[in-house]
Amino acid sequence: MNELKKWRASNGLTQEEAADKLGISYSLVAKLEQGNRLPSVTTAKMIADKMGVHWTIFFDDEITKRDKRKEVAK
């Protein structure tokens, strides 16, 4: 979830302030940044809209991991 952390840092926001701006809980911001949780598609779209980015950024790492697992399995 590096993109969320980069966005927050570039805007000079704490996790609490980012949570307020994005309309989500502080704990969700922390979990997303730590990579401990993925947002639902609905939440990802809402957050991304407020960040001004495409919602799939929240899933790019998971897609890459899945594709690598498929290649290893071949």
Side-chain angles (χ1 to χ4, degrees):
M1 201 44 51
N2 292 331
E3 294 302 317
L4 176 56
K5 193 170 189 174
K6 287 179 196 174
W7 174 83
R8 183 174 63 78
S10 71
N11 286 284
L13 302 171
T14 65
Q15 287 182 333
E16 294 88 355
E17 292 167 335
D20 282 344
K21 271 196 179 294
L22 298 173
I24 59 177
S25 69
Y26 157 77
S27 64
L28 181 56
V29 171
K31 289 175 184 175
L32 293 173
E33 286 188 3
Q34 294 167 2
N36 294 334
R37 176 136 184 240
L38 288 175
S40 68
V41 170
T42 302
T43 300
K45 288 180 177 181
M46 187 249 331
I47 295 169
D49 184 53
K50 292 178 181 181
M51 288 173 60
V53 298
H54 197 270
W55 66 273
T56 57
I57 66 160
F58 295 101
F59 304 100
D60 288 343
D61 288 342
E62 290 303 310
I63 292 167
T64 301
K65 287 178 194 173
R66 184 197 67 210
D67 290 347
K68 286 181 181 177
R69 285 192 302 264
K70 283 183 181 179
E71 285 182 24
V72 170
K74 287 182 182 179

